[in-house]
Amino acid sequence: MSLVVSAGGHPFYLQAGKGFSISKPKGYKICPRAALVEAAPRVNGSPSSTSIQVLATDRAEELKAEARALARAADASVYSPQLLAKKYGSRPVKAVKRTLEILVALGTFALKLFLDQKNGTLDQNKRKRAAELRTIFTRLGPTFIKLGQGLSTRPDLCPPEYLEELAQLQDALPTFPDADAFSCIETELGMPLESIFSSISPTPIAAASLGQVYKARLKYSGKTVAVKVQRPGIEEAIGLDFYLIRGLGFFINKYVDIITTDAVALIDEFASRVYQELNYVQEGQNARKFKMLYADKEDILVPDIFWNYTSGKVLTMEWVDGVKLNEQAAIERQGLKLLDLVTTGIQCSLRQLLEYGYFHADPHPGNLLATPEGKLAFLDFGMMSETPEEARFAIIGHVVHMVNRDYEAMARDYYALDFLSADVDVSPIVPALRDFFDDALSYTVSELNFKTLVDGLGSVLYQYPFNVPPYYALILRSLTVLEGLALYADPNFKVLAASYPYFAKRLLTDPNPYLRDALIELLFKDGRFRWNRLENLLVQGSKDRDFSAKDALQPVLKLLLGPDGEELRTLVIKEAVRVTEAVTLCTFVDTYNSVPSFMRSLIFNGNGALAMSSAELQSMMELRDQVFRIWGLLRSSENFDPALLQPILQILQQPEARSLGGRVVGGITQRLAARLLQQVLQMPMAPTSSLSALDTR
């Protein structure tokens, strides 16, 4: 069995049976406690007072250990353009040497692009040049590998061919000496290696751009851990590179008109994230926060951090056995299904992006492992990002506008999503959106390929003055990666189809005013209620494990009866009258059709029961059946209990609700009275215009 660990986001393997050990020292006593806490005994299913006390003590000690780790990382570097300028501005020789190295590599590439453009082969050679750029970034080292990975998520900066090639960048640098790594561990943690570990692999099992990983066993507990050690001199290398790249950013802003994004701001933001990755205590805190938010689901695993053995340059975390997610055969040998794991990843990603807004910014296959127990393990928390609260709701609203093909509203969404500044006119963008989405939406949601959608939208973004926020670019990358993994197992898999239940659940259950308005916009059109949309939402929402009919009903009623709900109440009254009329008349139809033919003649004197066309009655029956199906969906929802309707009944007792009910009854009475009057005054009609036309016997 292979053991897998991630370093810098990429997996490496240690075959079972490969030995690793160091001699145990004599007479050295050490009793540190790690962050991993085992559950205390329970009494009658509940924690005992002793267990609560133990947990409180463990939590207190964990906080103390984390505080000590923070103290050890107090001198961790933070990205500061001013400090870099001061440092390398006074070292011109070193800066010039590295500049020449970069210019030769990138200048040669730029010359090829120039010749391609001159010869008219720019588009023809685009894929070839993208592969060459990936090779150049790999050769230039850690900073450019990270830069290439960052560009692979920016459809506003790179054409699709470049996005695909740069997404393949792998951190594959040579290892640094083990003696340096072991010395770093001892220096950072302030104790001899033998005092910390009873065994440690003699060579790294993973090497990446920012560090390398060893497998070890803690001396005090015997637990197996992964120990990540930072590469010596990495701060010096990336500091010089970012100093030079930032200077290039100023040049681009001033002279390169084709790039509309602020290059310096983009470089500063990216550099800040890379520097955060250099602080391993920050990475440990990221993992802790991620686990607190998302590991409440039993199918998600996040490794624990051992704070007593963590510092700014050393990270000790729980070892995870598993297989990376793009190795389908290995996953299936464990009796697992890749699609189940990918679906778990999609649901977790949607919670990250749209529920709490705190998400893993680098979810490629090396950071997603399938454990033997069937859990999806997340690794490498160096690069995290956040979705602003306003944007979370705007994204869901954007999906609603896309489904409704409301391209003007879609274009306006880009303000809330921070794609466009408020002074940009969106009217020229609307035709481009219409041209693309009219074609893309000719498919159903279950048929729509997410990568095709992203590539097409990326082409639109590339042509107009969009400034794609990092969080959105990372969202696209995250879902594209997951769909790509699923396609290994099922070429017909569509990530949008797997995501739709989550969107449906949020629209139906979230009381946020923005989402309530989005739901109304989805369900009502031209003053009519679209029952097929509600049925589809309930069908899809019920596929989400957290969906509850209780959550779907009460927020809608509160909105309907609220002080700002008069416009909605008017629409609902009209629809309630229509539905009640359909149920009443269709029930009458069923009764009529169940009466023997000779009795119908006696009762109705040979005339049809109601003056109504067959088409109108057929439409009513379809409406009645659809409403009954929707009620059945609500009743079949998990945890549904008629007692759950009690709060709704309380709401219906409010004055606004009684008034609403009276208006509905009045409307129904008027409609049925009009029907009756029409029936009394009607002339003899052809059989196809009466209820007898719907006799199905």
Side-chain angles (χ1 to χ4, degrees):
M1 178 180 181
S2 297
L3 301 177
V4 186
V5 70
S6 172
H10 299 279
F12 293 80
Y13 297 86
L14 177 68
Q15 297 295 328
K18 182 177 180 180
F20 60 99
S21 63
I22 57 177
S23 59
K24 296 182 180 180
K26 296 182 179 180
Y28 192 96
K29 296 181 179 180
I30 181 170
C31 300
R33 298 195 64 173
L36 188 62
V37 178
E38 296 183 1
R42 303 172 75 88
V43 178
N44 296 326
S46 301
S48 65
S49 59
T50 302
S51 68
I52 294 175
Q53 184 176 5
V54 169
L55 290 173
T57 302
D58 288 334
R59 178 59 181 158
E61 293 207 15
E62 179 183 349
L63 291 173
K64 290 179 182 178
E66 184 177 348
R68 290 192 293 270
L70 281 168
R72 287 191 289 268
D75 60 347
S77 297
V78 177
Y79 176 67
S80 170
Q82 294 76 22
L83 290 179
L84 291 180
K86 182 178 180 181
K87 179 178 181 179
Y88 295 107
S90 61
R91 300 164 69 179
V93 175
K94 188 168 187 174
V96 169
K97 183 178 179 181
R98 179 60 173 168
T99 300
L100 290 175
E101 182 182 1
I102 295 172
L103 286 178
V104 168
L106 297 182
T108 303
F109 177 76
L111 178 61
K112 291 180 179 180
L113 289 181
F114 173 76
L115 293 175
D116 286 344
Q117 186 173 23
K118 186 176 181 181
N119 297 329
T121 59
L122 189 63
D123 291 335
Q124 178 183 340
N125 291 337
K126 194 172 288 185
R127 176 74 62 182
K128 178 181 177 182
R129 297 297 176 232
E132 290 176 355
L133 183 62
R134 171 170 55 85
T135 302
I136 290 171
F137 280 171
T138 301
R139 191 168 63 247
L140 286 175
T143 308
F144 285 86
I145 290 174
K146 291 293 182 185
L147 179 61
Q149 291 174 339
L151 288 173
S152 72
T153 69
R154 299 306 301 253
D156 57 331
L157 297 179
C158 300
E161 294 83 357
Y162 282 79
L163 296 178
E164 292 179 11
E165 284 294 331
L166 295 177
Q168 299 177 33
L169 275 171
Q170 299 291 317
D171 295 348
L173 297 183
T175 63
F176 58 89
D178 299 307
D180 292 348
F182 295 153
S183 176
C184 178
I185 294 173
E186 293 182 332
T187 301
E188 287 289 308
L189 301 183
M191 58 183 95
L193 201 66
E194 297 83 0
S195 301
I196 306 170
F197 308 113
S198 59
S199 58
I200 188 168
S201 55
T203 57
I205 60 168
S209 60
L210 301 184
Q212 59 195 35
V213 175
Y214 295 84
K215 183 181 180 183
R217 183 172 291 114
L218 290 176
K219 184 174 182 180
Y220 91 98
S221 67
K223 292 187 180 296
T224 304
V225 294
V227 185
K228 183 156 70 170
V229 186
Q230 194 170 113
R231 184 177 294 273
I234 189 70
E235 294 180 22
E236 180 75 15
I238 67 171
L240 176 57
D241 283 347
F242 279 125
Y243 166 71
L244 298 174
I245 293 171
R246 195 169 190 269
L248 178 63
F250 282 110
F251 178 85
I252 291 173
N253 282 351
K254 188 172 183 179
Y255 297 107
V256 182
D257 296 333
I258 193 172
I259 297 179
T260 58
T261 301
D262 185 344
V264 173
L266 184 64
I267 291 167
D268 284 344
E269 182 172 351
F270 178 71
S272 297
R273 294 186 182 279
V274 173
Y275 267 78
Q276 287 177 10
E277 286 193 74
L278 294 179
N279 185 348
Y280 287 173
V281 171
Q282 179 64 56
E283 179 174 345
Q285 292 179 317
N286 293 343
R288 176 172 55 94
K289 181 176 180 179
F290 190 91
K291 181 167 188 170
M292 178 185 69
L293 293 176
Y294 308 115
D296 57 326
K297 303 300 181 184
E298 60 182 13
D299 48 11
I300 298 295
L301 186 149
V302 179
D304 286 292
I305 304 299
F306 293 82
W307 293 110
N308 278 318
Y309 313 113
T310 293
S311 71
K313 296 182 179 180
V314 176
L315 176 64
T316 303
M317 65 194 313
E318 178 186 1
W319 179 269
V320 177
D321 291 336
V323 179
K324 63 179 181 177
L325 224 54
N326 61 354
E327 295 194 349
Q328 183 181 356
I331 290 173
E332 291 179 348
R333 282 196 296 270
Q334 298 186 71
L336 306 175
K337 294 182 179 179
L338 176 59
L339 288 182
D340 291 344
L341 292 160
V342 171
T343 301
T344 297
I346 290 172
Q347 295 302 312
C348 185
S349 294
L350 291 171
R351 290 185 70 205
Q352 294 174 50
L353 303 170
L354 302 176
E355 204 161 313
Y356 295 105
Y358 183 75
F359 66 94
H360 196 296
D362 195 18
H364 58 70
N367 291 337
L368 299 170
L369 303 182
T371 72
E373 299 78 25
K375 295 185 177 185
L376 181 64
F378 284 81
L379 302 176
D380 198 347
F381 300 92
M383 188 174 289
M384 309 296 288
S385 189
E386 295 192 46
T387 311
E389 184 176 16
E390 181 182 9
R392 292 178 228 161
F393 301 122
I395 290 171
I396 298 177
H398 197 60
V399 172
V400 171
H401 295 147
M402 182 181 73
V403 172
N404 284 344
R405 303 190 184 212
D406 187 347
Y407 303 119
E408 288 80 7
M410 284 183 69
R412 291 192 299 271
D413 288 336
Y414 294 127
Y415 295 129
L417 291 169
D418 202 24
F419 278 34
L420 298 170
S421 59
D423 59 342
V424 175
D425 179 18
V426 297
S427 55
I429 300 170
V430 174
L433 292 174
R434 180 178 291 108
D435 291 343
F436 171 67
F437 281 104
D438 274 347
D439 181 56
L441 295 177
S442 61
Y443 303 96
T444 65
V445 173
S446 61
E447 296 173 329
L448 195 58
N449 183 288
F450 186 75
K451 187 178 183 304
T452 301
L453 186 64
V454 170
D455 288 346
L457 184 58
S459 298
V460 174
L461 298 181
Y462 190 64
Q463 296 172 25
Y464 293 92
F466 284 94
N467 181 24
V468 178
Y471 74 83
Y472 188 78
L474 293 168
I475 288 172
L476 298 184
R477 181 186 182 192
S478 174
L479 295 179
T480 303
V481 165
L482 288 168
E483 182 172 64
L485 290 171
L487 291 176
Y488 280 107
D490 180 4
N492 297 317
F493 182 88
K494 301 295 184 289
V495 72
L496 286 180
S499 303
Y500 198 59
Y502 177 86
F503 282 98
K505 181 202 72 173
R506 285 293 299 276
L507 282 171
L508 287 168
T509 63
D510 198 311
N512 178 272
Y514 187 97
L515 296 188
R516 292 270 61 81
D517 291 344
L519 177 61
I520 294 169
E521 185 179 339
L522 186 67
L523 296 180
F524 284 92
K525 183 179 182 180
D526 300 328
R528 296 295 292 270
F529 190 83
R530 295 189 278 191
W531 289 95
N532 61 317
R533 287 280 177 88
L534 177 58
E535 183 178 9
N536 187 41
L537 283 174
L538 287 169
V539 169
Q540 295 296 330
S542 62
K543 296 177 182 178
D544 189 283
R545 69 186 68 179
D546 297 326
F547 176 76
S548 168
K550 171 187 174 182
D551 295 333
L553 290 172
Q554 295 189 46
V556 172
L557 280 176
K558 289 179 180 177
L559 174 67
L560 177 64
L561 302 174
D564 300 324
E566 178 58 34
E567 183 178 353
L568 178 61
R569 284 194 287 273
T570 301
L571 294 174
V572 168
I573 289 168
K574 291 170 58 179
E575 199 61 31
V577 169
R578 194 167 75 95
V579 170
T580 305
E581 179 187 35
V583 172
T584 302
L585 294 182
C586 290
T587 301
F588 184 77
V589 168
D590 292 340
T591 303
Y592 175 84
N593 286 335
S594 66
V595 174
S597 300
F598 74 92
M599 293 185 65
R600 293 186 213 169
S601 300
L602 292 175
I603 296 173
F604 297 104
N605 296 321
N607 293 327
L610 288 175
M612 185 184 304
S613 70
S614 300
E616 183 182 6
L617 190 54
Q618 182 67 42
S619 175
M620 281 194 172
M621 289 191 124
E622 290 174 356
L623 175 60
R624 191 252 337 238
D625 293 343
Q626 194 163 44
V627 171
F628 283 175
R629 285 198 304 271
I630 289 171
W631 174 243
L633 286 170
L634 291 172
R635 292 184 61 190
S636 64
S637 172
E638 187 177 357
N639 299 325
F640 180 83
D641 185 333
L644 295 176
L645 300 179
Q646 175 111 23
I648 297 175
L649 296 176
Q650 294 174 357
I651 293 175
L652 292 176
Q653 293 173 7
Q654 297 175 5
E656 295 87 348
R658 290 198 295 272
S659 172
L660 181 63
R663 291 162 70 182
V664 171
V665 171
I668 295 169
T669 303
Q670 291 177 16
R671 289 288 290 268
L672 293 179
R675 291 279 186 192
L676 181 60
L677 182 61
Q678 183 182 17
Q679 179 67 27
V680 170
L681 298 177
Q682 75 169 339
M683 300 297 292
M685 300 177 67
T688 55
S689 298
S690 69
L691 290 183
S692 59
L694 289 175
D695 188 348
T696 58
R697 296 192 306 154

